[in-house]
Each structure stands twice: as structure tokens, then as C-alpha cells.
Amino acid sequence: MSAIDVVGRYGAAAAAGDMAALAATLTKDVVWHQPGANRLSGDHVGPEAVVAHLGRFMELSGGTFALETESATESGNLVATTVRFTAEREGAAALDQHGVDVFRVEGDLIAEIWLIGEDQAAEDRFWG
């Protein structure tokens, strides 16, 4: 299976809201690197931590967080996706940004994920 196919499985699971299937696409020591200086920032290690982290996006946004993959390309075991993400939160300006997510794949599983948003300061303000 190619790296882009592995990331495609992850994306399909995320779109379906199937967190068990999403966790099954991750290595046991996967590292999710969340940028910024807000309550969601930092490294999240392991499938359980990643799933919990994704749940926090939904919790803090009252279930409005949405992520759309616009394109994907691969180079060896790396996959870069362009994304658009949106969310709403009471007392905060709506979040509507584009970004790039980079995945490192080992075998048929995702081992590492980096996220890059177009306006980190706005994202930090939104998540608080």
C-alpha cells in the first residue's frame, strides 16, 4: 500500500467519524505535533492520545469543527495534504483557514503528523 493510500484510509475514517478505524491507521507510538500556543498545542503520543485530541476539537467547538482535504501528494513515505478547516465557538471569531498537514508513514501506518495553518495567531486566539 502506498503512503498516500494509508493517509486516504485515515481521512476516510475521520470523515466517517469512525475513531476506532482512525486509530487503526496509526502506529502505537504515533506523534501528532499540534503547533501554536493554545490549550490544544503540543505533542500527542499514541493512538488513544490522538483520538482524545481530535475529540477536544469537537468538544471546544460545540461539534462544529470540520476538516476538508483539498489535495494530497506523496514523496516516498511522506504525504502532504492541503486542507481547509473551520469551527465556531461562542465568544470567538469563527475559524476558517487553509493549511498543510504532513504525514510520515511507516509500512501501512501513520507514524507522525505535523499541522501548519495559515494564521497560527488567529488559531491560538480561537482555541484559547
Side-chain angles (χ1 to χ4, degrees), residues 76-94:
N77 70 337
L78 297 177
V79 175
T81 61
T82 58
V83 299
R84 178 178 178 216
F85 54 100
T86 59
E88 295 180 10
R89 216 169 72 91
E90 190 173 324

Side-chain angles (χ1 to χ4, degrees), residues 5 10 13 28-29 34 48 50 54 61 64 68 73 75 80 82-83 85 94-95 98 103 107-108 110 118 120 122 127:
D5 291 336
Y10 160 90
K28 65 180 170 112
D29 56 353
Q34 185 71 42
E48 296 82 12
V50 169
L54 293 173
S61 70
T64 65
E68 173 189 354
T73 188
S75 179
T82 58
V83 299
F85 54 100
L95 186 64
H98 290 89
F103 300 81
D108 289 342
I110 296 167
E118 67 183 336
Q120 187 62 57
W127 296 116

Side-chain angles (χ1 to χ4, degrees), residues 109-121:
L109 299 173
I110 296 167
E112 208 161 3
I113 305 165
W114 296 266
L115 300 117
I116 305 163
E118 67 183 336
D119 186 347
Q120 187 62 57

Side-chain angles (χ1 to χ4, degrees), residues 25-40:
T25 67
L26 307 173
T27 64
K28 65 180 170 112
D29 56 353
V30 63
V31 180
W32 176 294
H33 303 281
Q34 185 71 42
N38 63 71
R39 65 178 123 185
L40 298 176

